């Protein structure tokens, strides 16, 4: 019988697999749960009719945005998928955001 993995080991393996498989990706969807943090980071979700993914754009990239994000806005994001292993949660780290159709 195989030795069971710890929760940490499983989350680390998932993190390694997802981050190497989904390196730079482009995702289109609608902005929801938008928060402009005083640190300059932008936290939001991107969704479609059936699913939602958490996103963050760190200050360094956020300062290059050419428009203000708004809830309900349809956008295309350029991002890297990451997993926060302690919680087993994945999110998109956005490097660039454009209005859809731009």
């Amino acid at each position: 019988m195989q030795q069971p993995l710890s929760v940490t080991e499983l989350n680390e393996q998932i993190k390694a697999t997802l981050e190497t498989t989904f390196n730079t990706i482009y995702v289109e969807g609608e902005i929801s749960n938008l928060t402009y943090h005083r640190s300059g980071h932008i936290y939001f979700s991107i969704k479609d009719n059936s699913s939602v993914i958490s996103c963050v754009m760190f200050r360094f990239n956020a300062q290059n945005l050419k428009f203000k994000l708004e809830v309900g806005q349809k956008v295309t994001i350029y991002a890297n998928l990451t997993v926060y292993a302690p919680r087993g949660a994945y999110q998109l780290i956005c490097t660039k955001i454009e209005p859809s159709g731009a």
Side-chain angles (χ1 to χ4, degrees), residues 10-72:
L10 177 60
N11 279 339
E12 289 296 334
Q13 287 182 21
I14 290 168
K15 176 180 173 72
T17 300
L18 287 178
E19 289 180 1
T20 56
T21 303
F22 298 97
N23 196 350
T24 300
I25 57 174
Y26 312 107
V27 181
E28 184 177 67
E30 181 181 313
I31 301 249
S32 65
N33 303 321
L34 177 64
T35 302
Y36 280 88
H37 195 270
R38 67 179 180 208
S39 65
H41 304 329
I42 305 171
Y43 298 94
F44 61 98
S45 297
I46 191 166
K47 66 179 186 169
D48 60 21
N49 292 335
S50 303
S51 296
V52 64
I53 300 174
S54 295
C55 303
V56 62
M57 181 176 243
F58 293 119
R59 180 181 56 214
F60 176 78
N61 290 310
Q63 67 191 11
N64 296 320
L65 273 177
K66 307 266 191 263
F67 64 100
K68 186 166 176 68
L69 299 179
E70 297 178 15
V71 171

